[in-house]
Amino acid sequence: MTGEFERRHGFPPGTNEVRPASRDDQEAARALAQVSLIPADLVTFYDNIGDVTWADVGNGYFLDAASDVLLRLQEYGIVDVGPGQKVHGLVIGSNGGGLSYVVGPDGSIHRTRTASLDEPELDKMADDLRQFLELLERSLTRFVADGEPGFL
């Protein structure tokens, strides 16, 4: 399988995993919940999932560990999202091509249009985390079937 992947894509396979949450991940999720308006389903996600790394699906899909989200929040602050960008969100991952995923306090998931988080323009990708994870799953299924990563 490794040889076929490398012949097809021109590079060896990278890391592709959904890592279970460790105690440190769970503690970071609780700390994140205390310092920010984080949707309940994201806290539940981080209580069970450490991070998601699909390096070989298109440019890659990444959902960061709670500790990384917390560190980014402490270093760079919140991201403005929503109508008129008066709602604040957290960067929770990226598509590996420089675009970031941002969760709003209502649980909706947005993707930046550019790599910059300074006055970002965002497109709503999903109404909630569950819908976003379903879109990720479809992208993975499509990539396995025909090599196309989808639009996320």
Side-chain angles (χ1 to χ4, degrees):
M1 183 76 158
T2 298
E4 182 178 331
F5 183 94
E6 193 165 355
R7 274 193 303 280
R8 185 175 189 187
H9 299 286
F11 54 89
T15 302
N16 296 287
E17 69 177 343
V18 176
R19 184 179 59 78
S22 67
R23 285 190 191 271
D24 290 342
D25 293 317
Q26 292 167 340
E27 287 175 19
R30 284 190 289 281
L32 189 58
Q34 291 176 2
V35 299
S36 177
L37 294 174
I38 182 171
D41 60 351
L42 191 59
V43 174
T44 301
F45 175 84
Y46 281 136
D47 200 40
N48 294 282
I49 303 296
D51 61 53
V52 175
T53 302
W54 291 346
D56 294 328
V57 180
N59 289 329
Y61 291 119
F62 307 93
L63 292 180
D64 299 332
S67 59
D68 293 336
V69 174
L70 182 61
L71 181 61
R72 187 178 306 110
L73 175 64
Q74 292 167 343
E75 290 183 1
Y76 302 106
I78 53 177
V79 176
D80 294 327
V81 297
Q85 300 198 333
K86 296 178 182 174
V87 178
H88 305 298
L90 297 171
V91 176
I92 60 168
S94 70
N95 73 352
L99 304 182
S100 297
Y101 300 120
V102 178
V103 62
D106 65 350
S108 60
I109 308 290
H110 306 260
R111 183 187 64 203
T112 59
R113 291 183 188 164
T114 64
S116 174
L117 290 171
D118 298 327
E119 299 182 30
E121 294 182 25
L122 298 121
D123 294 312
K124 186 175 179 180
M125 302 304 295
D127 291 331
D128 56 29
L129 183 62
R130 180 185 181 116
Q131 185 181 37
F132 182 71
L133 293 173
E134 288 170 352
L135 291 171
L136 278 176
E137 180 184 31
R138 283 187 218 139
S139 292
L140 177 61
T141 301
R142 181 177 175 185
F143 186 75
V144 169
D146 63 18
E148 293 296 321
F151 67 95
L152 286 177

